[in-house]
Amino acid sequence: MEKLNRMQALIVDSSIIDPYGHPHEWAKRIGRELVNQKAKVQFIVNRKADLNSLSDLSRIGDVEPSLIINESRINYHRISSKDELLFHRKACGELTDLISLRKDTDLFIFPTASSASIEAYGWSETDAEARFILHRDPVIHSSDARVGPSILKRACHRMLENKEFGKLSTPEPELVNRLSTLGLGTPVELLPYPLDKIDRDHRWFKPERKFTIGFFGVQRANKGIQTIQEIIKRTVNYNIQFILHDGRGLLDRRLFQGNVEIVGYQPDLYPFMDRCHVILLPYNRSAYDGHGSGVLMEAAALGIPVVCTSGTIPGKRLKSLGFGELALGDRFGDFWQATKKVIVNYEKYKQAALKTQQHIHAHHGTCKAVEHLMN
């Protein structure tokens, strides 16, 4: 990618506050690959970003924690349409000023893009190119099913009126389909998933001898932590081990027995995921019908079977890739029923996961993602 040589790239993400979750990880992976391709990278993140996040990103390029408005943290279901428009305008104004002032920037990348970042680029005084990565369905992540799409449509039309070099993409096939129906006026392309597992040397770990179940992600109710805790409680007499990720230290470790290994914040979770026979994603249906799951794709890259809630975007992707089992619901009964099927028929599911792994390695990876962004 000779185009990147000496390019000044600015990665902008107001949702980066800590190193947990996809905003930080996506920015880091894309930034690191840009540097590998001889670009100069700078990060603009939320002014509330913690030291762990700032120091991690600073190993790649300069970091400026200055953004105030964080659209990703706004609970649109609890505000009015009027307030949603107000937040959008404030974020758009902040980003318009930022983009216009960065005269030395050749490329803006928004790894967790919003309607505000797209419209801000359209209004800004810059000749630089821009790349926007969309992760959420604007119909669902809005105060009203009509307001979110309307704001996004207007933002895209503003960009098209004033700029020639803006490009939209998403890592989720389901979102490509949904966004194509909104009349945005510009295509939303499918982006290869930036999976580090594919692009680096990796010592292969063997799963534990005892059947091991993993749960990875922030301990939130909509990720199904209560269901995981119920499964742990009800299987205490089985020969099963659990690896429970608790990056923010929210769990009371005294409540768990010896068959549970609690893993705190780790910059690299692959070695822990690699020890699992199966990974559980008991996602809440209403929360996860609007966006995908990084843990699902990481598991696919490692060839690990997954159990996930049906009717969610991660569940739909799991079904299309075919490397696990769908649970009818996210509560204990439905989820344990699906998990038992994987345990009893493990070899069948493992072979399917290894086949999926080959597909993932052929079509995804951080190198492929950055190459797609630059074309």
Side-chain angles (χ1 to χ4, degrees):
M1 287 180 276
E2 195 170 326
K3 181 179 180 180
L4 290 173
N5 193 21
R6 292 193 294 272
M7 174 181 279
Q8 300 279 338
L10 191 65
I11 297 176
V12 183
D13 196 335
S14 65
S15 62
I16 294 178
I17 292 179
D18 53 42
Y20 320 114
H22 93 262
H24 176 93
E25 197 61 34
W26 276 65
K28 181 173 76 170
R29 292 180 185 186
I30 291 171
R32 188 166 54 205
E33 180 58 28
L34 287 169
V35 168
N36 290 341
Q37 299 294 336
K38 309 303 181 186
K40 184 177 180 180
V41 172
Q42 183 180 5
F43 300 93
I44 306 290
V45 300
N46 196 285
R47 67 176 181 175
K48 294 181 180 179
D50 67 17
L51 285 176
N52 287 332
S53 183
L54 295 175
S55 61
D56 196 26
L57 295 177
S58 68
R59 297 185 181 97
I60 300 167
D62 292 339
V63 187
E64 181 182 314
S66 61
L67 294 171
I68 299 172
I69 307 296
N70 177 6
E71 277 196 303
S72 73
R73 291 293 176 94
I74 298 169
N75 189 332
Y76 291 115
H77 298 294
R78 295 185 180 178
I79 64 174
S80 66
S81 298
K82 181 180 178 180
D83 284 338
E84 181 175 352
L85 286 165
L86 180 62
F87 279 123
H88 168 79
R89 288 171 185 152
K90 286 182 176 179
C92 182
E94 180 180 39
L95 291 169
T96 300
D97 292 341
L98 168 70
I99 297 169
S100 298
L101 290 171
R102 301 287 166 162
K103 303 296 185 183
D104 59 343
T105 299
D106 302 304
L107 173 68
F108 292 93
I109 297 179
F110 297 85
T112 310
S114 65
S115 299
S117 57
I118 297 169
E119 186 169 349
Y121 177 63
W123 284 113
S124 68
E125 298 176 5
T126 183
D127 296 323
E129 298 184 26
R131 302 292 183 265
F132 305 91
I133 304 174
L134 299 169
H135 296 269
R136 292 181 168 184
D137 183 344
V139 175
I140 294 173
H141 289 277
S142 174
S143 60
D144 184 284
R146 296 165 295 178
V147 173
S150 174
I151 293 174
L152 178 59
K153 183 177 179 179
R154 184 182 64 198
C156 289
H157 289 186
R158 171 59 57 190
M159 180 184 73
L160 292 170
E161 285 176 11
N162 296 344
K163 297 289 187 291
E164 298 180 35
F165 304 111
K167 178 178 177 180
L168 276 58
S169 59
T170 177
E172 298 298 334
E174 178 69 15
L175 287 183
V176 171
N177 297 332
R178 295 185 190 184
L179 293 169
S180 68
T181 68
L182 300 182
L184 302 181
T186 184
V188 179
E189 300 178 357
L190 183 61
L191 180 73
Y193 220 93
L195 295 162
D196 270 8
K197 169 68 193 67
I198 293 169
D199 298 326
R200 64 179 181 170
D201 292 333
H202 179 78
R203 180 171 71 84
W204 286 93
F205 291 78
K206 292 182 179 180
E208 299 284 321
R209 289 185 179 179
K210 183 184 291 188
F211 196 92
T212 302
I213 295 174
F215 175 83
F216 298 88
V218 177
Q219 307 294 322
R220 287 204 306 262
N222 63 15
K223 289 183 181 287
I225 183 57
Q226 288 92 343
T227 297
I228 294 295
Q229 290 175 333
E230 189 69 16
I231 290 174
I232 292 171
K233 185 170 75 172
R234 297 220 196 173
T235 59
V236 68
N237 294 322
Y238 296 167
N239 191 30
I240 295 176
Q241 179 171 315
F242 293 87
I243 296 178
L244 193 56
H245 178 217
D246 181 29
R248 290 179 175 167
L250 301 177
L251 294 176
D252 185 348
R253 299 186 178 220
R254 295 171 298 179
L255 299 178
F256 300 95
Q257 300 190 27
N259 66 327
V260 180
E261 177 183 349
I262 297 179
V263 178
Y265 168 67
Q266 298 286 337
D268 185 0
L269 283 171
Y270 284 136
F272 299 94
M273 296 179 74
D274 238 355
R275 289 167 49 199
C276 298
H277 290 84
V278 63
I279 290 174
L280 305 189
L281 305 176
Y283 294 150
N284 178 272
R285 190 169 286 144
S286 61
Y288 272 84
D289 187 35
H291 57 89
S293 165
V295 176
L296 177 80
M297 297 302 291
E298 307 285 359
L302 291 166
I304 302 171
V306 167
V307 179
C308 185
T309 313
S310 65
T312 60
I313 286 183
K316 291 173 183 177
R317 192 152 205 186
L318 175 62
K319 183 178 179 180
S320 69
L321 291 171
F323 69 106
E325 186 64 34
L326 291 174
L328 295 177
D330 61 1
R331 301 298 178 127
F332 168 78
D334 290 330
F335 220 84
W336 179 237
Q337 208 53 36
T339 303
K340 283 195 295 185
K341 287 179 67 175
V342 176
I343 295 173
V344 173
N345 303 287
Y346 186 70
E347 285 306 315
K348 181 185 79 170
Y349 285 96
K350 183 63 177 179
Q351 289 306 311
L354 292 174
K355 185 177 179 180
T356 297
Q357 182 185 40
Q358 294 176 359
H359 168 82
I360 294 296
H361 282 229
H363 295 94
H364 297 273
T366 308
C367 289
K368 290 183 176 67
V370 169
E371 183 178 359
H372 176 92
L373 290 171
M374 298 312 303
N375 288 336

